[in-house]
Amino acid sequence: MARNPFDEIERMFDRMSHQFETLDDDFFEGSVAVDIEDTGESFVVTADLPGFDGDDIDVELSGETLTLSASHSESTETEDEDDDRRYIRRERREQSVNRSIRLPKPVEEEATEASYNNGVLTVTLPKVGSGEGHDIPIN
């Protein structure tokens, strides 16, 4: 019986397809790297947001979805004559990131806390119930 040379290619595509199906779809939506820890009593979400200030970051919880977003713009100016609009060099940079995370269980929204230190955002979400969405202040 002759062996079909395309069988191996088909198996390879099946393996690749399976690997892509097992990846977290949220990873491709934004550039925010996150860790989600289940401590038993709460979920702790840690996100790397280097280069942002605490005022640049928004954290929102709506039901079982946590949304992290951050944006800021900065400009570097050298030899700027603003009245004449004669620029020798003027560079601007805008950066924004966004990530939505579906939590595996409902959490107690009123007891949720967030802190930001040295480019790392930590959100603690105690498990229990669910309610209406609200903004979470960053300490």
Side-chain angles (χ1 to χ4, degrees):
M1 177 181 243
R3 184 173 172 209
N4 185 346
F6 295 104
D7 285 344
E8 182 61 31
I9 293 172
E10 188 172 327
R11 282 192 293 275
M12 181 180 67
F13 279 117
D14 287 343
R15 286 192 307 265
M16 286 176 29
S17 176
H18 177 71
Q19 288 175 342
F20 280 115
E21 289 172 4
T22 60
L23 289 176
D24 184 3
D25 291 339
D26 290 336
F27 177 76
F28 297 105
E29 292 178 10
S31 59
V32 179
V34 298
D35 293 334
I36 305 170
E37 178 185 3
D38 185 346
T39 66
E41 295 179 6
S42 62
F43 297 111
V44 178
V45 177
T46 306
D48 293 333
L49 295 168
F52 291 98
D53 292 328
D55 294 338
D56 298 334
I57 302 169
D58 290 317
V59 179
E60 184 180 338
L61 180 63
S62 181
E64 295 176 22
T65 302
L66 178 69
T67 302
L68 311 175
S69 57
S71 64
H72 74 110
S73 61
E74 62 184 47
S75 66
T76 305
E77 300 178 9
T78 306
E79 278 194 49
D80 185 356
E81 293 181 23
D82 207 30
D83 295 335
D84 296 336
R85 308 287 268 181
R86 183 177 159 253
Y87 304 117
I88 301 301
R89 179 176 154 213
R90 187 174 194 167
E91 296 179 354
R92 294 186 194 120
R93 184 176 84 116
E94 290 189 29
Q95 181 181 11
S96 66
V97 293
N98 189 343
R99 180 77 183 264
S100 291
I101 302 159
R102 180 97 171 138
L103 300 170
K105 293 183 179 178
V107 296
E108 186 63 51
E109 293 185 15
E110 297 300 322
T112 299
E113 297 177 353
S115 64
Y116 183 68
N117 189 21
N118 293 328
V120 178
L121 175 69
T122 304
V123 183
T124 304
L125 305 123
K127 295 178 186 178
V128 175
S130 177
E132 293 298 315
H134 71 282
D135 287 335
I136 301 168
I138 300 171
N139 299 326

